[in-house]
Amino acid sequence: MCRIISNYTVFICIFLTIAGCENAKKTTSNSTYSSGSTSTASKGGTAKTTTSSDKKVVVTPSTPVVEANLAPGMERDILSLVNDYRKSKKLAPLQSNAAMEYQARRHSMDMGTHRIPFGHQGLTFRIKYIFDKVPGATTVGENVAYGNLSAQAVVSGWIKSPEHRKNMEGNFKYTGIGVTRNMQNQLYFTQIFAK
C-alpha cells in the first residue's frame, strides 16, 4: 500500500498480489448482512498446484477513505462467545493466532475505511498468507459482518446462518478476529478459521 499526502489531498493505492490458491477445492459464500466463505486447499507433493503469473491490481475506493480504529476488547468478547458456543457443541476451543489476527484486522480495516467493498475480496491472498505462516494449515474459513452490532449480536447472527455456523462448528484449531469501528460508528467484523 502506498499513501501519498500532499496539500491535504490523499492518494491511496493498494496493490494486492493475487496468486492462485493451491488446489482450492471449495469456496462458498452467502450475502446477507454478513457473509461466510470456506476454502479448502491441499498442500503437499501430491496435490495439483495451479500456477499463474502474479497480477498487480490497483484498488481505489469509490468513496473517500475514512478513518477507523480497531476494537480489541470486542475481538476478545467474540472469541470468548465463539468458544462458549463451541463448548456447548462439545468442540475444542479455538486458539488465537497472531498471523490470522493480523489478516482479520487488516481485512476489517480495509472494509471499514472503504478501501474494498464489504465481503471476501482478497480471500485468496489471506489463504496463501495463512498457509505460509501457520504450519500445517490446510483449510481456511472466513466469516464477516458489519453493522452497529454488539459482540453477542454478531455471534448470534453467525449462529443463525447455516454457512457461518458451519465455520464456527468446523474442525478448526486456530482463529484470528478483527473488528474495526469507523468514524461513522459502523463496525466491521472478520473471523478467520484454520486447521
Side-chain angles (χ1 to χ4, degrees), residues 11-179:
F11 298 95
I12 296 180
C13 305
I14 300 173
F15 297 97
L16 300 173
T17 302
I18 299 180
C21 162
E22 294 181 37
N23 195 22
K25 294 180 183 173
K26 180 180 176 187
T27 302
T28 59
S29 67
N30 141 5
S31 58
T32 57
Y33 84 97
S34 59
S35 186
S37 180
T38 302
S39 181
T40 305
S42 174
K43 292 178 71 173
T46 60
K48 181 180 175 187
T49 303
T50 304
T51 58
S52 64
S53 61
D54 288 344
K55 298 176 185 176
K56 297 287 184 185
V57 177
V58 178
V59 179
T60 55
S62 59
T63 58
V65 173
V66 296
E67 292 184 23
N69 298 304
L70 295 173
M74 189 171 274
E75 294 167 359
R76 286 189 298 272
D77 292 346
I78 289 170
L79 177 59
S80 178
L81 290 165
V82 168
N83 278 335
D84 288 347
Y85 175 74
R86 286 177 62 86
K87 183 178 179 182
S88 76
K89 298 295 182 183
K90 299 187 180 359
L91 299 168
L94 298 170
Q95 300 171 23
S96 187
N97 178 278
M100 294 170 62
E101 185 176 272
Y102 168 76
Q103 286 298 318
R105 285 178 169 175
R106 181 177 171 180
H107 186 57
S108 290
M109 184 66 71
D110 286 346
M111 292 187 297
T113 56
H114 306 295
R115 288 184 178 97
I116 62 171
F118 171 74
H120 297 287
Q121 184 171 322
L123 180 59
T124 301
F125 171 80
R126 289 188 294 284
I127 291 170
K128 184 178 183 327
Y129 182 92
I130 290 164
F131 284 170
D132 289 344
K133 300 291 184 184
V134 180
T138 58
T139 306
V140 170
E142 179 177 85
N143 287 350
V144 298
Y146 79 96
N148 191 9
L149 305 167
S150 66
Q152 181 65 55
V154 75
V155 171
S156 294
W158 284 339
I159 290 170
K160 291 175 185 172
S161 163
E163 288 297 317
H164 300 88
R165 188 172 60 247
K166 183 178 175 182
N167 282 340
M168 292 174 66
E169 294 176 357
N171 184 24
F172 293 111
K173 182 175 182 180
Y174 303 108
T175 192
I177 300 169
V179 180

